[in-house]
Amino acid sequence: MLAIRPLMAQDTYNQIDEVGNVTQRSENFNKHNNDTTSKNKEVPKGLKVWTIDRKFGNVIPTTPDTLSHLFQNTIFNSGVYGQYNTIGNNYSARESRIFIDRKESSSFIFTDPYSFFMVEPDEFLFTNTLSPLTFLTYDNCGDKQHGEDRLDAKFAVNVNKRLGFGFQMTYDYARGYFSSQSVSHFNGSIFASYLGDRYNAHFLFSTNHQKASENGGIANDEYIVHPESHAEDYADEEIPTVLTQNWNRNDNIHVFLSHRYNLGFYRQVPMTEEEIKAREFAKASQQEKDKLDMKKDGKDAPQGRPDAAPKGRPEGAKIAGMEPPKDKTNEVVDTTRIQVDSQEKLDSLNRLQAIQDSIDATMKKEYVPVTSFIHTLELHNFKRIYQAYQTPTDYYLNRNYTVFGGDSIEDNTKHLQLKNTFGIALLEGFNKYMKAGLKAFVTHEYRRYEMPDTLNATVFQQRWTENTVSIGGQLNKTQGKTLHFNLTGEFWVAGEDASQLKLDFDTDLNFPLFKDTVRVAAKAFFHRMNPSFYYRKYHSQHLWWDRQNDLSQEMRTRIEGNLSYTLTNTRLRLAVEEIQNYTYFGMSYDHTYDANNDINGRKNMTAGVHQEGGNINLLTAQLYQDFRLGPLNWENVITYQNSSNEDVLPLPALNIFSNLYLKFKIARVLDVELGGNVTYFTKYEAPDFCPMLNQFAIQTNTANRVELGEFPFVDVYANLKLKGVRFFVMMSNVLYSSANRKYFTTPHYPMNGSVMHMGVSWPFFN
């Protein structure tokens, strides 16, 4: 973690130049010039962005999202490297095929599959900008009947060098190329930050409205895999689906506040070369501005002999400092002052003053926080409805109660979470003997849940509440270039989660090799956690379980190593993990058949929570390797996984992403990337999707398990950048009409066919 440092009047920013490249620039906030409407004034483009640690609010510097490379892949919820399984339509639910990249379940599991859309405090980019900044991103594909639209707008402005605020709005709308699969998401967020010497604060408010139409998958995969086997030729939107008029709806509000008060002292520290150059540039610029101001006011500097009267001053007028010497015969001499009675002493003093001025010119005043008092607050309010106006006959195995009569469904649940963390930190760097920072904290969490319950055959809304208290500490080192580490421990001492334990450690070592730097990093953790509330208890019309007392704590141990070497564009990642009491969702159903004995639907759908009491061992090896020969570039991400229990934790043995492209410039101003990428994974029994839970679940019915994989998803694209503006044109899934048409990542949910996509991202400094 990084200690928060104030943004000084002279500070380093990421400069977005006229071609959109991010470089370093130092600036001040021009305290002497109040004219903000000058027509000839150049708009400064300095920008600093950072993320924060969710528990302590520490600043973690990063770079703004201005890179053109792989911009075309950022529009897909399948991920930049195609590593997520989805249910076909863009912006819909997803789950990573790379297990070690999956996040642990949150307290409200129904929004977890929408990680592409959700705004998380520790992933949000806070800003400090020299001028108001607006980022607009828009992408589109298809037509009004089947296409997609995504609009993202972010505005940021600074009141002064310490206080900044802004807002962000995102609208995702995908109508879908198959029946009953439209998705609509809207997010509005307001953020603010204050980075002072003694007080720092970060605030984020976001509200989300999410609506996804659920079709349960197509009725028969043969419509896609072997279309010639059917007498009729179906368009994608005409292929029968299992469900119609079914929706998952989520509405949620989030408030995040992290602030701290620092105790410390000021000290003089050497400036960096960039800061020295920036100070010299600022002084030179101010002198030029002063000369221009004098000319504008008609106050030309005196020319000719020193006592010549400048224009506008009458002859004989005295100039300050040019008066004749006074008679000092009777003057009392102050013997406490240094007597300069010779040219030699005067020259010596001048030399000393010049040395001191030279030292002062390379020093700056820095506030060193010694102790920090920290408070972090999180408030989350969720509401979820699974709604259906009609349901196929015998589709659900069980019915626990009936609402509105007939086949209508309205499963609803609410969740309120309030978490407060109080901490005290002794920060690294304030003393040469203190080589690491030390923090201690206590957290209280209040959780409230609402779901249907029954009493004497009467359905009503029941509430459950949970309170937990945990204590913990952190030891970390972030300063310096060679060694960094972070050790964090948290133990739950009271409440529903008593005896839970989290231990996390990460470190990195950097050393030079052949004029470049090798970085060796390692991570390890041990987590002993209760399954979240909805694993232990869930009530709805067709699913019902109360497993409060028969689910054990899940224990996960992982050791991970990373080796990266920039000179060869190589990064190697190796991880081993052991899981005990692995807790997961499983689902099953039976097929229905028509008169020709062809599958035409599903029945006896049910789902539930399962826990594997034995140990599961997982091995993951991942290689990032890039090659370059002139304008030709080839990038590869190859992941190998081995699970000791494929029935419980199925994973593809091999997952590959490869990107081959030409990179060049046109007319020295237009950056072009022209190429194609492919995503491929080996066969495995991929998790199915359960609409009534909005969760991915293991296929537990051995009679109709489906294997997916061994189909290459290929996209071709032209990615361009001109003066900071990024735009692309792309054709996705170009092999969709090939003989092997198994383009599924989730059973019975085909991916979209060949579709033309276009997108643009435009930053405005105003």
Side-chain angles (χ1 to χ4, degrees), residues 458-641:
T458 302
V459 181
F460 66 99
Q461 286 294 110
Q462 177 69 285
R463 283 187 177 182
W464 292 265
T465 59
E466 297 179 347
N467 285 275
T468 68
V469 177
S470 65
I471 59 174
Q474 182 185 80
L475 182 69
N476 68 338
K477 180 182 182 298
T478 62
Q479 297 180 4
K481 296 181 179 181
T482 304
L483 177 66
H484 312 99
F485 63 84
N486 173 38
L487 173 63
T488 304
E490 185 172 9
F491 180 71
W492 279 256
V493 296
E496 189 69 26
D497 296 332
S499 79
Q500 283 190 163
L501 175 65
K502 272 189 171 185
L503 294 174
D504 294 270
F505 175 75
D506 62 82
T507 183
D508 65 83
L509 177 65
N510 305 272
F511 57 90
L513 179 65
F514 300 126
K515 299 182 179 180
D516 212 320
T517 300
V518 176
R519 186 173 189 268
V520 179
K523 295 181 180 180
F525 70 70
F526 173 77
H527 292 176
R528 186 179 67 217
M529 307 293 290
N530 290 326
S532 63
F533 178 85
Y534 289 106
Y535 282 88
R536 293 179 271 124
K537 186 186 295 288
Y538 184 67
H539 297 170
S540 69
Q541 285 182 244
H542 301 286
L543 299 177
W544 195 290
W545 60 79
D546 289 285
R547 304 192 60 179
Q548 192 76 14
N549 299 317
D550 65 345
L551 289 180
S552 302
Q553 290 183 327
E554 183 178 281
M555 290 183 285
R556 298 177 60 177
T557 305
R558 181 188 299 171
I559 300 175
E560 178 181 337
N562 285 269
L563 174 66
S564 60
Y565 189 37
T566 307
L567 187 64
T568 60
N569 295 315
T570 303
R571 177 187 162 198
L572 179 63
R573 183 185 185 192
L574 183 66
V576 292
E577 183 168 353
E578 182 179 84
I579 309 174
Q580 185 177 0
N581 299 326
Y582 178 61
T583 309
Y584 61 97
F585 288 111
M587 64 181 290
S588 67
Y589 47 80
D590 299 319
H591 289 306
T592 60
Y593 299 87
D594 61 15
N596 298 320
N597 204 32
D598 290 331
I599 297 172
N600 67 355
R602 290 181 270 284
K603 65 178 181 179
N604 299 331
M605 168 71 72
T606 188
V609 174
H610 303 261
Q611 190 170 68
E612 174 61 32
N615 290 346
I616 301 175
N617 296 295
L618 177 68
L619 171 65
T620 305
Q622 192 171 58
L623 174 66
Y624 291 76
Q625 182 61 65
D626 301 341
F627 302 96
R628 182 176 181 181
L629 181 61
L632 183 64
N633 294 263
W634 186 25
E635 301 171 343
N636 300 276
V637 182
I638 304 171
T639 306
Y640 170 78
Q641 299 178 105

Side-chain angles (χ1 to χ4, degrees), residues 369-408:
V370 177
T371 305
S372 294
F373 299 94
I374 305 165
H375 171 232
T376 299
L377 176 146
E378 291 191 44
L379 174 65
H380 308 283
N381 192 7
F382 299 91
K383 179 181 179 182
R384 185 249 181 175
I385 298 176
Y386 177 62
Q387 188 177 42
Y389 290 157
Q390 63 179 13
T391 303
T393 304
D394 298 330
Y395 178 71
Y396 295 107
L397 179 63
N398 302 307
R399 182 185 292 270
N400 301 303
Y401 59 86
T402 301
V403 295
F404 308 125
D407 54 2
S408 297

Side-chain angles (χ1 to χ4, degrees), residues 102 175 180 207 216 245 283 286 346 402 440 466 517-518 613 700:
R102 295 181 190 175
R175 301 159 186 83
S180 302
T207 178
Q245 295 185 320
K283 288 181 178 179
Q286 189 60 46
L346 179 61
T402 301
E466 297 179 347
T517 300
V518 176
T700 58

